[in-house]
Amino acid sequence: MSNTDLYIEALIFSSEQSLRVEEIAYCLQAALEQDISIEQINKSIDSIKEKYQDENLAIELIKVNNGYQFLTKKNFHQVISLLQSQRSKKKLSQAALETLAVIAYRQPTTKTDIEQIRGVNCDYSIQKLLEKELIAIVGKSEAVGKPILYGTSSLFMDYFGINSMKDLPHIKELITDESSIGEATE
């Protein structure tokens, strides 16, 4: 493999989307300060493709959307989809975490109660938490309009590695001198 091949391989590998030959040419010409022909880039791409046809490698170079991208080989797709599915269930935004904390400590609770504590609309966070099955609808309140009550699910306990709601940290344990505002008075 030539140095040009290595630069092209690095460019394609580091790109989140498919990389067109023209983009590769622009980057190489700007970085290496020399003219590199489209024909030379295509030869390098063919060389890289050949390198990744090895059965002992899990990725291959594929032409996608008029550009090139490294993708996992098809026989690994089932394993990769499981990982992606698992990771998508684990990622929570700060807003979702805050909403989940309110529900966990105040359950069963209504959307209005959560919004009063957080000070913002919680529709999206509640929807995402329901989709991820970390919370569940546990009934309806007797308050005016009979609003929906939310509580945590059994998946919530798996996600956070706890056996019961008693395992949640007590509020007093979470408050430290560093998290308090102002001076303490006796």
Side-chain angles (χ1 to χ4, degrees):
M1 276 187 99
S2 70
N3 275 347
T4 305
D5 292 358
L6 293 173
Y7 282 110
I8 292 171
E9 185 177 0
L11 283 169
I12 296 170
F13 180 78
S14 64
S15 179
E16 292 179 13
Q17 295 139 351
S18 63
L19 199 57
R20 293 179 296 118
V21 173
E22 296 80 15
E23 293 173 302
I24 294 169
Y26 172 80
C27 292
L28 292 176
Q29 288 170 1
L32 303 177
E33 297 179 355
Q34 62 185 21
D35 282 337
I36 297 172
S37 70
I38 299 295
E39 183 179 305
Q40 188 177 359
I41 292 171
N42 283 327
K43 281 183 183 178
S44 290
I45 287 172
D46 288 340
S47 174
I48 296 166
K49 273 185 169 180
E50 188 176 318
K51 172 185 171 183
Y52 284 93
Q53 287 178 348
D54 184 341
E55 290 179 19
N56 295 315
L57 298 175
I59 60 174
E60 61 187 336
L61 184 60
I62 302 290
K63 187 170 187 173
V64 179
N65 194 23
N66 295 317
Y68 293 91
Q69 187 172 19
F70 281 110
L71 298 173
T72 54
K73 291 182 179 172
K74 288 183 181 178
N75 53 325
F76 297 102
H77 287 191
Q78 184 179 8
V79 173
I80 301 299
S81 68
L82 289 171
L83 174 67
Q84 290 173 335
S85 172
Q86 181 186 23
R87 284 197 172 162
S88 72
K89 289 183 179 180
K90 289 191 174 186
K91 288 184 180 179
L92 292 177
S93 67
Q94 184 67 33
L97 277 172
E98 290 172 6
T99 302
L100 186 57
V102 172
I103 293 169
Y105 282 99
R106 304 263 320 217
Q107 65 185 309
T109 190
T110 65
K111 183 174 91 68
T112 304
D113 293 338
I114 299 164
E115 289 174 344
Q116 285 177 344
I117 292 168
R118 290 201 60 237
V120 294
N121 183 300
C122 296
D123 290 338
Y124 183 78
S125 294
I126 288 173
Q127 184 61 39
K128 286 297 171 190
L129 292 169
L130 284 167
E131 285 174 14
K132 292 178 186 291
E133 299 177 9
L134 292 172
I135 63 170
I137 296 172
V138 295
K140 291 196 173 211
S141 172
E142 293 300 318
V144 176
K146 302 231 182 236
I148 294 172
L149 291 170
Y150 298 98
T152 57
S153 67
S154 60
L155 188 60
F156 167 84
M157 295 207 244
D158 290 344
Y159 185 89
F160 287 98
I162 59 175
N163 293 312
S164 74
M165 297 312 289
K166 293 177 185 174
D167 293 340
L168 282 175
H170 297 285
I171 301 294
K172 292 176 185 174
E173 294 173 13
L174 299 174
I175 298 174
T176 64
D177 291 337
E178 295 154 6
S179 65
S180 61
I181 298 173
E183 294 181 26
T185 58
E186 292 183 29

